Amino acid sequence: MLRPSRSIPLSALAVAALSACADGTGVGGPHNVSLNFQVTSAAPAAGAGGPSAVGGPAGVAGPPLVLVGTNGTLTIDEIRLIVSEVEFEKIDDSCLGDDDSVDDIGDSCEEFNAGPRFLDLMLDGQPVEVATDLVPSGTYEELEFEIEDLEDDEDDSVERALIAAVRAQVLAVVPDWPDEASALITGSFDPTSGSPVDFRVFLKAEIEVEMELIPNLVIEGGVASRALTIDIQPDIWFTQAGGSVLDLSQYDYDATGQLLEFDVEFEDGFTKIEIED
């Protein structure tokens, strides 16, 4: 199966942000920062008895990602999603405008922005690069990003152009990707009584994820580069109370033509940030 590039450079908007904030808080110029997503599992390993003894679905090391629940086995072969507007937010309003007044601070000086990108997550735990580029010096306390769809509803012409570019990339790989979809899950569900059923499920999950950087991300002289890795636990998305798993075959797009609304569940799956030099 054709897969998209796993490394997409930051947009031209990021270059503009760097120019506007070159003299922001911190010592020295900007440094290279990379952001990665890494699939992990919250589920205990499956034993001879099937589901976990503590009542939740049991996990099997991937790929594929396999969750064994009381109602059957959910196998995830592929997770693709659209990530938009990655932002590193500074700890204070230290990037001043042309007249050196706090009131004249622009959005590009408040935070570092990256445009949308199309990701194919690795289910074997290997990190996937979301973005990498130079980040202005300063201290950053929060990371924000959005899970986005392909709808052309942006007011800004530059943002519309970025979405259009990602749309072209997505449709080259998945020609029937709906504009309202934010993610695609493919796999199969094998009920406890019955036969396995394959599925392709498009998720409608336009959300903003905010994660505190603890410790803060500090960009200053002497630090050549930094890497941030976000742990993603898809089993949180697909498990239910009592140890069962979500039967995604009921939402197969080829059979129903419908998208699965998934906002709250999706947000909970982004669990931890690790910061490395």
Side-chain angles (χ1 to χ4, degrees):
M1 178 182 293
L2 178 66
R3 292 180 180 270
S5 168
R6 299 184 187 280
S7 175
I8 302 176
L10 300 188
S11 70
L13 289 180
V15 177
L18 289 176
S19 299
C21 282
D23 296 324
T25 298
V27 179
H31 295 275
N32 190 69
V33 173
S34 63
L35 175 66
N36 307 290
F37 283 175
Q38 178 176 280
V39 172
T40 62
S41 178
S52 164
V54 297
V60 177
L65 176 65
V66 180
L67 295 175
V68 182
T70 55
N71 59 330
T73 299
L74 181 68
T75 300
I76 305 296
D77 296 319
E78 181 182 50
I79 301 176
R80 299 177 185 263
L81 67 160
I82 300 168
V83 179
S84 176
E85 298 185 13
V86 178
E87 302 175 349
F88 293 103
E89 188 168 303
K90 281 188 174 180
I91 199 168
D92 56 24
D93 297 335
S94 56
C95 188
L96 302 179
D98 294 337
D99 63 355
D100 291 336
S101 67
V102 173
D103 292 338
D104 196 41
I105 296 173
D107 289 341
S108 63
C109 291
E110 286 288 312
E111 54 204 15
F112 176 69
N113 298 322
R117 71 290 329 277
F118 182 41
L119 299 180
D120 182 4
L121 299 183
M122 299 289 288
L123 301 183
D124 61 358
Q126 294 299 310
V128 172
E129 185 179 278
V130 179
T132 183
D133 215 315
L134 296 177
V135 174
S137 60
T139 300
Y140 298 83
E141 63 179 345
E142 188 173 73
L143 168 67
E144 298 179 1
F145 60 90
E146 294 184 6
I147 303 301
E148 182 65 280
D149 56 34
L150 294 176
E151 289 189 306
D152 189 8
D153 54 3
E154 299 289 343
D155 295 330
D156 186 89
S157 60
V158 175
E159 291 293 334
R160 289 199 303 271
L162 292 172
I163 288 292
V166 173
R167 180 186 293 109
Q169 183 189 17
V170 171
L171 296 181
V173 179
V174 187
D176 62 343
W177 187 292
D179 280 353
E180 301 86 356
S182 307
L184 170 64
I185 313 295
T186 65
S188 64
F189 178 72
D190 187 0
T192 52
S193 59
S195 302
V197 180
D198 293 338
F199 60 77
R200 286 195 320 140
V201 176
F202 287 102
L203 304 182
K204 186 176 182 179
E206 190 173 1
I207 63 170
E208 180 177 290
V209 179
E210 300 180 359
M211 305 183 74
E212 292 186 24
L213 296 173
I214 302 175
N216 293 153
L217 173 63
V218 180
I219 305 298
E220 60 184 1
V223 179
S225 64
R226 306 299 297 272
L228 286 76
T229 299
I230 298 179
D231 286 350
I232 303 177
Q233 297 181 346
D235 39 350
I236 292 177
W237 301 338
F238 307 124
T239 60
Q240 302 182 102
S244 63
V245 293
L246 184 61
D247 178 4
L248 288 176
S249 67
Q250 296 182 15
Y251 308 96
D252 178 58
Y253 184 76
D254 298 333
T256 67
Q258 301 296 315
L259 279 62
L260 174 59
E261 299 265 359
F262 216 68
D263 289 356
V264 176
E265 294 88 345
F266 219 164
E267 186 172 2
D268 290 342
F270 299 91
T271 57
K272 184 176 65 173
I273 301 179
E274 298 176 5
I275 302 177
E276 302 175 1
D277 291 339

